Amino acid sequence: MSAAGDTYAPVASAVLAALVARGETVAAAESLTGGLVGAELTAAPGASRSVRGSVTAYASEVKAAVLGVDEGLLAARGAVDGDVARQMAHGVRALLGADWGLATTGVAGPEPQDGQPVGKVFVAVAGPGERTRVRELSLDGDRSRIRSESVRSVLELLLNELTENVGAKDTEHNGGNGCLQP
């Protein structure tokens, strides 16, 4: 069993293998996943060749102060937002000097947050050339399942970017294809 509580080790291993093959690195900015993405990546053998680190930015103030997320954006829309995820991914990439930045933000539950329903999650990947992908997820299940599905989704989004195999453009519901926003 992997760090995220599911068997996503093959995805993490594939991500790391692709990064090593390309000579690139990754860093993660996490909110609702609370460090699970970093744990998943570093659980794989050889992770030190590609993983720069991770930042758990649970509070909005930390998202702004550490990752550089726009305070006005956070005040206007809250932390559960695609543009917040995008800024988190870019912020951690710059902060930790990585080629790729990952981000997770959303509502794991058990209660809605800032007017957003449980299971609404945004994952983002920022890469070379200001390349960015954001996926909105609508997940069902308990807190643990929502968090682990968020880990799986952000790792798969990065793997798709690394292999240039971008999925369909519709909103994801419990593991379907995802909505990629340029």
Side-chain angles (χ1 to χ4, degrees):
M1 186 148 307
S2 69
D6 279 298
T7 55
Y8 302 135
V11 177
S13 292
V15 162
L16 292 172
L19 287 166
V20 168
R22 294 166 64 118
E24 294 177 340
T25 58
V26 66
E30 304 184 60
S31 187
L32 84 150
T33 51
L36 295 175
V37 174
E40 190 69 30
L41 286 169
T42 58
S48 62
R49 292 184 289 178
S50 322
V51 179
R52 298 284 299 160
S54 64
V55 173
T56 300
Y58 212 65
S60 291
E61 297 82 17
V62 176
K63 289 174 181 69
V66 176
L67 298 173
V69 176
D70 182 81
E71 290 177 349
L73 174 64
L74 287 165
R77 298 190 202 163
V80 183
D81 180 80
D83 288 330
V84 170
R86 180 185 325 272
Q87 289 185 17
M88 288 172 65
H90 281 283
V92 78
R93 181 175 175 245
L95 179 68
L96 299 182
D99 296 297
W100 294 91
L102 307 179
T104 63
T105 188
V107 184
E111 301 295 324
Q113 173 187 328
D114 298 331
Q116 301 296 336
V118 172
K120 184 171 186 176
V121 174
F122 291 90
V123 295
V125 172
E130 299 306 309
R131 193 161 138 193
T132 307
R133 294 286 180 258
V134 175
R135 180 175 284 164
E136 179 178 354
L137 310 173
S138 179
L139 302 171
D140 293 325
D142 63 12
R143 183 174 176 81
S144 177
R145 176 160 167 76
I146 290 168
R147 288 169 44 131
S148 65
E149 283 298 309
S150 299
V151 171
R152 176 193 60 80
S153 294
V154 78
L155 291 175
E156 287 180 350
L157 185 59
L158 176 57
L159 185 59
N160 286 342
E161 286 299 303
L162 292 170
T163 60
E164 299 179 356
N165 180 22
V166 179
K169 293 187 177 189
D170 62 344
T171 302
E172 179 167 327
H173 292 277
N174 298 318
N177 292 330
C179 177
L180 299 181
Q181 302 170 358

